[in-house]
Amino acid sequence: LEGEDGRPASQKPCAVASDRAGGWYVTTTDSLLHVSAAGRIRTVATCEDCRRPGIALSPDGSALFLADTGNHKIRRVEVATGAVS
């Protein structure tokens, strides 16, 4: 995979969620990627310590929720900024 931010750090997809624009959010073992409907890939956030992450998009599309099951945490990622809390 090659994207706007160069080659993603990992190419092992763990989970996916779709957005209303026909794009996909993909979690890997170390990052959260967005794949646009046109096929462009960008890194939204990095999650170096995520283990077995699941993903869900908020109803308004402003935030993603990562279920970091290996660390027993739910992480919120702001789509616009990539801020992780």
Side-chain angles (χ1 to χ4, degrees), residues 19 26 39 41 44 66 70 82:
D19 64 20
V26 180
I41 301 168
V44 176
L66 298 177

Side-chain angles (χ1 to χ4, degrees), residues 16-75:
V16 297
S18 62
D19 64 20
R20 292 182 179 160
W24 294 91
Y25 289 95
V26 180
T27 60
T28 67
T29 54
D30 57 8
S31 58
L32 172 61
L33 308 173
H34 181 260
V35 182
S36 72
R40 291 182 149 176
I41 301 168
R42 72 176 172 90
T43 302
V44 176
T46 57
C47 301
E48 295 178 15
D49 193 30
C50 280
R51 292 185 283 167
R52 300 187 311 266
I55 188 172
L57 185 63
S58 66
D60 66 0
S62 66
L64 291 154
F65 296 92
L66 298 177
D68 183 357
T69 57
N71 290 310
H72 309 287
K73 295 180 180 178
I74 302 289
R75 301 175 193 264

